[in-house]
């Protein structure tokens, strides 16, 4: 089997990774946010209301931890990784499941993915939240993650 293929039936190490991820296509009108469900070193599974086709190539904008010795701190860093749709599934609620294989990862991205999968830090606790504030029109979406100092919001 091609090493880049993402097959849900394979026994690859995955972690629950429920967070919003941005998918960028070659057609900006199709760029969208999806709900990531799980993540491995080779790809991810997400749910979306947008239609995708097998073989669609994307840039997957994934928040991952900064890596010691490469970047200071542990706040999430958005990483744009090339990906390809390799698996599709219709959900009962009208959403679609999409499996995305990561392509041509750099060493830093591989290391960050491995850290998330091996020990689940720290993104297993990060959540996309909605904040309402007086004087601010509409709700604001942000990332929230517990830390020793309290709640980090970005």
């Amino acid at each position: 089997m091609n090493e880049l293929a993402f097959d849900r039936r394979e026994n690859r190490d995955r972690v629950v990774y429920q967070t919003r991820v941005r998918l960028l296509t070659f057609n900006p009108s199709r760029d969208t946010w999806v709900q990531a469900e799980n993540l491995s070193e080779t790809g991810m599974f997400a749910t979306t209301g947008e239609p995708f086709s097998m073989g669609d190539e994307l840039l997957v904008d994934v928040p991952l931890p900064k890596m010691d010795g490469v970047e200071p701190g542990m706040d999430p860093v958005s990483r744009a990784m090339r990906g390809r749709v390799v698996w599709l599934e219709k959900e009962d609620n009208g959403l679609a499941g999409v499996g995305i294989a990561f392509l041509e990862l750099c060493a830093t991205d591989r290391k960050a993915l491995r850290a998330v999968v091996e020990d689940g830090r720290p993104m297993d606790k990060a959540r996309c939240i909605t904040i309402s504030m007086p004087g601010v029109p509409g709700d604001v979406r942000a990332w929230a993650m517990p830390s020793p100092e309290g709640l980090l919001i970005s």
Side-chain angles (χ1 to χ4, degrees):
M1 176 174 211
N2 181 330
E3 70 181 27
L4 297 177
F6 177 90
D7 186 337
R8 190 169 160 163
R9 294 166 295 194
E10 289 181 24
N11 190 20
R12 293 193 187 272
D13 289 336
R14 283 186 202 82
V15 292
V16 173
Y17 187 77
Q18 294 179 326
T19 192
R20 285 177 43 95
V21 172
R22 189 159 186 212
L23 299 183
L24 305 167
T25 66
F26 293 104
N27 177 353
S29 68
R30 288 194 62 215
D31 294 352
T32 189
W33 289 89
V34 299
Q35 176 64 39
E37 300 295 340
N38 67 52
L39 181 74
S40 75
E41 291 182 47
T42 59
M44 64 177 285
F45 176 75
T47 54
T48 178
E50 299 296 319
F52 286 95
S53 300
M54 293 291 288
D56 281 353
E57 291 211 9
L58 315 159
L59 276 179
V60 185
D61 198 9
V62 182
L64 292 172
K66 292 181 180 181
M67 298 309 304
D68 297 332
V70 178
E71 300 149 329
M74 290 302 296
D75 295 334
V77 172
S78 184
R79 299 184 185 278
M81 297 180 273
R82 274 189 60 223
R84 178 179 298 129
V85 175
V86 294
W87 189 69
L88 295 169
E89 173 183 89
K90 274 273 204 215
E91 302 280 330
D92 291 336
N93 58 7
L95 295 175
V98 60
I100 300 168
F102 297 135
L103 307 172
E104 301 174 10
L105 293 171
C106 70
T108 302
D109 290 344
R110 283 188 194 282
K111 184 177 177 183
L113 287 166
R114 188 172 299 119
V116 171
V117 171
E118 286 179 354
D119 58 29
R121 75 166 165 82
M123 295 306 297
D124 61 341
K125 296 182 178 114
R127 296 291 181 262
C128 186
I129 62 171
T130 302
I131 302 171
S132 299
M133 296 179 66
V136 176
D139 292 337
V140 176
R141 290 189 151 278
W143 292 101
M145 183 170 37
S147 77
E149 295 82 31
L151 191 61
L152 296 174
I153 298 176
S154 62

